[in-house]
Amino acid sequence: MSLPSHVQTLIVGGGVAGASAAYHLAKLGRTDTVLLERNQLTSGTTWHAAGLIMQLRSTHALTELARYNVELYSSLEAETGQATGFKQNGTLGVCRTKDRLFETQRVASIAKSFDIEAHMISPVEAKEIYPAIDESIIEGAIYIPKDGQTNPVDSTMSLIAGARQQGVKVFENTPVGKLQRLASGEYLVETSQGEVQCETLILACGLWTRDLAAQLGVRVPLYACEHFYVVTEQMDAVTPNLPVLRDTDGHVYVKEDAGKWLVGAFEPTGKPLRMDQLPGDSAFIELAEDWEHFALPYSKAMQILPGLENAGIATFLNGPESFTPDLLFALGEAPGLPNCFISAGYNSEGIEFGPGAGRALAEWIVEGEPTLDLSNVDVARYHPFQVNKKYLHERTAEILGLHYKPHWPHFQPETSRNVRKSVLHDRWAALNASFGEGMGWERPMWFAPAGASTENHYSHTRPNWFEHTARECRAAREAAILLDQSSFGKHLVQGREAAKFLQRLCAGNVDVPVGKLVYTHMLNNRGGIETDITVNRLAEEQFLIISSATIHPRDKAWIERHIGGDQNVTLSDVTSGYTVLSLQGPRSRDILSQVSDAGLSNEEFPFATSQEIDLGYARVIANRLTYVGELGWELHIPAEFAQDVCDAVIGAGADAGLKPAGYHALEHLRSERAYREYELDLTPEDTPLEAGLGFTVKLDKPGGFIGRDALMRQKEAGPLTKRLVMFKLRDPEPVLFHEEIIRRDGDIVGYISSGAYGFTLGASVGMGYVNHAGGITKDFVESGDWEIEIACERHPAVASLRAFYDPTGGRVKM
């Protein structure tokens, strides 16, 4: 079989990612597809994977992707005739600490949303399921009977067999050299067997994806890390029906392997590996043994399985795997390159996520856009600096360990820090800020009293910063706070057709007078929310778009994707040009008036408007906006003037109770006021109508907008069957974060998308989408008996379609 000169879809990579993409494309009828593998199929990373199958993850979005693995692997052999080695022997996840037990109970609650069978069991019950464990060292466990394990090579070959049966052509020993995008928009790929041109290109090359994609200017921040497991000699205690044992507190997993134990590790600190340390283009790469590095997890394995102390070791496997800087894989269309797709960086979970990711990618390609929420794994989420190899080398050592470390709310990474700093960083450090990281930015999270420690002590309920954050929230409600929001993404959209372009892209009306601020969204064709932004019309042909720091690269990619080649529209990232100080609270007008001669009354400076004003010695863009629910301004200051302006504002606020505040306070305050946050309360699967943001949509504006037809159909269909609802717990003790189950009259109807303790309200508040076939009406919300399930325990709650704090919004217009 010779390599064709042209094909509709070309996949580079013969591991589970490429095989799954090929299989699912073929199932959707896209059979004019070629898959290239530089050596033998599975010879990169897939061949040495452990093959564990677990459906549950710590979030609903990731569980939605992961749980398909059982469905596919359980039916694949019957369909293709190729054995997979899949068996549903279950997962037993043991918990050595009460904190881990609480976290695991939260995951068990998520299982109920998906009808995944999961049981929280006692140490004695765990011992009955897995006789070889020492149950005395655990607090409890979770047992998931329908999980299991599979043979990674056989499962991948079964996917390949299914793809071939549908007409997909597979070429082994065909390394790819040069990639090129042609003027036609197609891609030219040079291989050892000749050139092939394709309409759609998929790079699914594991470790090698980063460098190959870089030829096309695509950023895929991957870095290799050594991954270890050992296989014992045969032992009587190892029976075929044993479930996969996950001892996350011990940094190890254990599975039965032909009467032997396979013991693998996600040790606290991994061993990152430069690409030049790999043995060239070798297939089936094995690295040197490192018993010193493996000693900690193996000693923990011997604690939970005392029989290991006398076990002989038959195999020590050390193979390279690729990791991303946020422990989430990279999937989707490459920014700026139509029809070039990435599927890589599976962080040792390719066998588990491969089925769901391959199906999602195939649907994206065939349908022209994702069919479910992939925003958290979208390859467009990365910032340019994140391909920096020094950054990746340091971060990857930590990332590997995060697999099995506790998933603390608001956890902050410790490596590759101080990458990006506001010009005000030293001011906040002097005020004893505890810094966190967002898209590389160092941002104050909370402020400790002078001389006190700023170290984080994490908790699933009340972390050590709670009392300090409560003081910051009180200052916001009673006096004023100052937040550094310089990490805001800021893009200038300019040109003769800028207004027309944004009108087509935004659901709201942005063709407004100069100085008007518009909170709006950009939607997909299903009406789902792709961006959550504020648009400031600076001039007739100039708009400043403001978005959250953590999603600003993705927002940029979405806008760029829609700029036509013949449109007089330009997009410029001006994030670094402006420092942003947010002055919020009932005393903010008094404070600002001391350092500016601008008129600040409601008549002179109405809410949701912008003016260029003098502030200190600077000329700044002042936006009268709030994300905390109080009177306030967001001040966009040219970066070189920011220190002087900051000092002036702090000085002016000294007698007015002004306090510095961090991002934790922002989270608590915005939750009280029910302000939505992208990737939590707003995703590509949620429409503005469902999110309770219908007021931002202008269905009748001339020319329409992307997603309008879907919203019209939804509006005409009658009462919404899905709606964002606000909740407040009746008990002042429990703490909400996100992913907790929502129950109405005992039935599961949704889950909390985001939550926080409402210090002003004296109880936790949260938001979550409720589903009901009969429609979500005011009567439905107010008549039900509501409960929020936290870690398998139910707590009564009050439900509302409006915010619990200042529901009319009067305070922002004081």
Side-chain angles (χ1 to χ4, degrees), residues 49-52 89 130 149-152 238 242-245 253-258 260-264:
L52 313 184
N89 49 325
Y130 209 117
Q149 62 192 66
T150 195
N151 183 302
V238 187
L242 283 179
V244 173
L245 178 66
Y253 58 85
V254 182
K255 77 163 188 174
E256 182 274 334
D257 185 6
K260 310 167 187 177
W261 268 322
L262 182 152
V263 182

Side-chain angles (χ1 to χ4, degrees), residues 93 279 320 351 396 436 585 726:
I351 302 300
T396 300
M726 277 48 79

Side-chain angles (χ1 to χ4, degrees), residues 80-98:
T80 66
Q82 165 71 47
T84 62
F86 175 71
K87 63 176 182 178
Q88 287 180 290
N89 49 325
T91 289
L92 180 68
V94 297
C95 309
R96 297 193 186 207
T97 67
K98 292 188 183 301

Side-chain angles (χ1 to χ4, degrees), residues 191-244:
T191 80
S192 60
Q193 297 190 34
E195 295 181 344
V196 56
Q197 192 169 318
C198 63
E199 299 171 20
T200 299
L201 175 66
I202 301 174
L203 300 179
C205 330
L207 293 171
W208 296 268
T209 305
R210 183 189 71 199
D211 294 339
L212 201 57
Q215 292 189 33
L216 296 170
V218 180
R219 298 186 298 270
V220 187
L222 303 182
Y223 206 82
C225 208
E226 298 182 38
H227 184 53
F228 307 91
Y229 64 72
V230 298
V231 181
T232 69
E233 295 176 344
Q234 286 197 330
M235 303 179 67
D236 293 339
V238 187
T239 56
N241 62 331
L242 283 179
V244 173

Side-chain angles (χ1 to χ4, degrees), residues 413-478:
E414 298 174 357
T415 55
S416 298
R417 294 292 298 270
N418 297 306
V419 175
R420 308 169 79 186
K421 291 182 180 179
S422 159
V423 297
L424 303 175
H425 183 89
D426 64 333
R427 266 65 173 172
W428 312 129
L431 292 169
N432 217 22
S434 179
F435 290 96
E437 184 257 335
M439 197 56 72
W441 286 96
E442 292 295 312
R443 308 190 297 186
M445 303 305 292
W446 57 281
F447 287 84
S453 172
T454 58
E455 183 180 354
N456 291 317
H457 297 287
Y458 297 107
S459 168
H460 291 292
T461 53
R462 284 173 163 75
N464 68 314
W465 61 78
F466 245 44
E467 60 178 300
H468 309 303
T469 299
R471 285 197 294 269
E472 296 168 23
C473 292
R474 185 163 56 250
R477 299 296 186 217
E478 298 175 0

Side-chain angles (χ1 to χ4, degrees), residues 374-553:
L374 299 174
S375 56
N376 57 349
V377 297
D378 191 341
V379 68
R381 72 187 183 273
Y382 296 115
H383 190 277
F385 85 88
Q386 290 181 292
V387 296
N388 179 287
K389 293 176 184 176
K390 183 176 186 294
Y391 165 85
L392 288 171
H393 187 89
E394 295 175 4
R395 176 58 62 85
T396 300
E398 179 181 14
I399 285 296
L400 180 141
L402 292 184
H403 263 302
Y404 278 5
K405 286 184 179 179
H407 294 89
W408 299 116
H410 307 299
F411 174 81
Q412 299 299 323
E414 298 174 357
T415 55
S416 298
R417 294 292 298 270
N418 297 306
V419 175
R420 308 169 79 186
K421 291 182 180 179
S422 159
V423 297
L424 303 175
H425 183 89
D426 64 333
R427 266 65 173 172
W428 312 129
L431 292 169
N432 217 22
S434 179
F435 290 96
E437 184 257 335
M439 197 56 72
W441 286 96
E442 292 295 312
R443 308 190 297 186
M445 303 305 292
W446 57 281
F447 287 84
S453 172
T454 58
E455 183 180 354
N456 291 317
H457 297 287
Y458 297 107
S459 168
H460 291 292
T461 53
R462 284 173 163 75
N464 68 314
W465 61 78
F466 245 44
E467 60 178 300
H468 309 303
T469 299
R471 285 197 294 269
E472 296 168 23
C473 292
R474 185 163 56 250
R477 299 296 186 217
E478 298 175 0
I481 57 172
L482 193 64
L483 301 105
D484 187 344
Q485 294 184 298
S486 302
S487 59
F488 272 168
K490 312 167 198 78
H491 292 107
L492 274 178
V493 176
Q494 304 177 89
R496 290 192 307 275
E497 296 179 273
K500 179 181 178 182
F501 169 72
L502 289 175
Q503 280 289 78
R504 176 65 179 160
L505 214 51
C506 296
N509 178 25
V510 298
D511 193 3
V512 293
V514 172
K516 178 65 177 173
L517 299 168
V518 181
Y519 172 56
T520 187
H521 306 92
M522 298 176 184
L523 313 179
N524 54 43
N525 288 312
R526 304 188 313 279
I529 298 170
E530 294 287 349
T531 75
D532 178 56
I533 58 174
T534 298
V535 179
N536 182 359
R537 189 165 199 172
L538 300 176
E540 285 300 312
E541 298 180 357
Q542 187 179 68
F543 298 80
L544 180 64
I545 296 179
I546 304 164
S547 58
S548 163
T550 54
I551 57 171
H552 127 255

Side-chain angles (χ1 to χ4, degrees), residues 684-708:
E685 287 196 314
D686 311 314
T687 72
L689 304 183
E690 294 167 341
L693 299 175
F695 66 93
T696 67
V697 177
K698 302 302 178 186
L699 291 169
D700 59 350
K701 70 175 180 177
F705 55 89
I706 296 172
R708 177 186 179 277

